[in-house]
Amino acid sequence: MTSSIQNRQVTNTIIMIRPIQFRMNEQTAVNNYYQKNIDNVLNVNEKAQQEFDQFVNTLKEVGIQVIVIADDPKNDTPDSIFPNNWVSFHENGDIGLYPMFAKNRRKERRPEVLDKIEASGFEINNIVDYTTAEDEELFLEGTGSLVLDRTNRKAYCALSPRAHEDLLIEFCEDFEYTPVIFNANQTVNNKRLPIYHTNVMMSIGETFAIICLECIDDKKERKNIISHLKNDAKEIITITEQQVNNFAGNMLQVVGLGDKRYLVMSSAAFNSLSKEQIHKIESHCTILHSELSTIEMLGGGSARCMMAEVFLPKKLG
């Protein structure tokens, strides 16, 4: 691999899992405070499928390569729509498999998903498997827990019940990243509680970073993150905790037709942004958004969570 390939921050290929049994997952709601149990929502899975299909179409229309894989109806996997939590794909042909907090999410790790990726022309050379940590009740939920600056080889991680520091260090040793560790909180019933995934409050693009500094209560940790981002020449675009509640941190930069860059988000996230924030983002890339309200409300995740980026090398011949 050349360094230019190894250091790509964005890709034009993503994996998405079409839901079959989507609903509010009671096992994740214990520490995902963005989930809302709305009793009067009917046809939840059908609505989620409609939002999913429209989202996929929105991505494909601008030339983003989307590999859609159906969930397995044999499994009770209401969160299968969020594949980036259990798998990550890397430039050297390695993939990571991650330990999941919720027991019913562990069934999402299906070999046939990897088979489909290989059948799509990508090469998997090695599997780095962290899943035995589940036996010790230790978790690290993929690029939900990890926000990767692939260019500068830094892994930003807000510690939580789903992101254990020991596993973060192990990942960084295996994949040659520098850990940037901090604590991020949200206000729930007048209490400051850990945000379950780093990628809810932070997103890193090629030339910018979107982050909610309000969520980082410790001033030293906040200054450390700002220092890292500035040293790596990222424009810091700050968002508020209220905007985080509208999933404005849950965004992903991808590549479309003609090598054009897009920042993908939900319509709720887009509508929460100020004109100034939109202007700053659009100085780096084009905004692409889609309506995901049912998925956000019941799943507690948004656009970024639904996309697992593929950085694997293409098979030769």
Side-chain angles (χ1 to χ4, degrees), residues 134-194:
E134 289 168 352
D135 299 335
E136 303 173 62
E137 296 289 307
L138 302 179
F139 311 106
L140 185 72
E141 296 192 335
T143 53
S145 299
L146 304 165
V147 173
L148 300 179
D149 182 342
R150 295 173 184 262
T151 306
N152 297 294
R153 311 305 291 177
K154 293 179 181 178
Y156 292 82
C157 183
L159 301 180
S160 78
R162 306 203 203 178
H164 195 278
E165 186 170 352
D166 290 349
L167 290 178
L168 165 65
I169 300 301
E170 189 175 345
F171 167 88
C172 289
E173 290 173 349
D174 291 339
F175 286 91
E176 298 181 347
Y177 279 80
T178 298
V180 183
I181 303 168
F182 60 100
N183 293 276
N185 297 305
Q186 64 187 128
T187 300
V188 182
N189 297 325
N190 296 317
K191 295 180 181 177
R192 295 295 276 172
L193 298 175

Side-chain angles (χ1 to χ4, degrees), residues 11-31:
T11 181
N12 67 347
T13 305
I14 59 172
I15 305 296
M16 295 181 66
I17 307 294
R18 191 172 191 269
I20 288 178
Q21 299 185 65
F22 179 83
R23 67 172 194 279
M24 179 179 173
N25 186 352
E26 63 286 347
Q27 292 187 21
T28 58
V30 295
N31 54 28

Side-chain angles (χ1 to χ4, degrees), residues 59-184:
L59 296 170
K60 287 184 172 181
E61 282 172 2
V62 298
I64 298 163
Q65 306 297 310
V66 185
I67 301 172
V68 176
I69 302 171
D71 190 11
D72 189 334
K74 296 193 300 291
N75 297 326
D76 178 27
T77 46
D79 282 333
S80 61
I81 199 168
F82 304 132
N84 79 309
N85 299 148
W86 67 265
V87 65
S88 64
F89 304 95
H90 300 267
E91 305 86 346
N92 61 355
D94 286 356
I95 69 169
L97 295 181
Y98 297 95
M100 306 292 289
F101 172 84
K103 291 182 179 178
N104 65 3
R105 293 211 63 188
R106 299 169 192 176
K107 298 177 184 177
E108 295 174 27
R109 298 188 298 250
R110 296 187 290 139
E112 54 266 36
V113 173
L114 306 184
D115 294 341
K116 180 73 178 287
I117 293 162
E118 288 187 305
S120 299
F122 293 97
E123 188 176 326
I124 296 175
N125 296 324
N126 183 44
I127 297 176
V128 184
D129 190 343
Y130 301 103
T131 60
T132 56
E134 289 168 352
D135 299 335
E136 303 173 62
E137 296 289 307
L138 302 179
F139 311 106
L140 185 72
E141 296 192 335
T143 53
S145 299
L146 304 165
V147 173
L148 300 179
D149 182 342
R150 295 173 184 262
T151 306
N152 297 294
R153 311 305 291 177
K154 293 179 181 178
Y156 292 82
C157 183
L159 301 180
S160 78
R162 306 203 203 178
H164 195 278
E165 186 170 352
D166 290 349
L167 290 178
L168 165 65
I169 300 301
E170 189 175 345
F171 167 88
C172 289
E173 290 173 349
D174 291 339
F175 286 91
E176 298 181 347
Y177 279 80
T178 298
V180 183
I181 303 168
F182 60 100
N183 293 276

Side-chain angles (χ1 to χ4, degrees), residues 240-260:
T240 67
E241 190 172 334
Q242 183 56 45
Q243 289 174 318
V244 169
N245 292 337
N246 286 284
F247 297 97
N250 200 239
M251 304 170 171
L252 182 68
Q253 189 181 25
V254 294
V255 184
L257 198 64
D259 215 32
K260 186 172 181 178

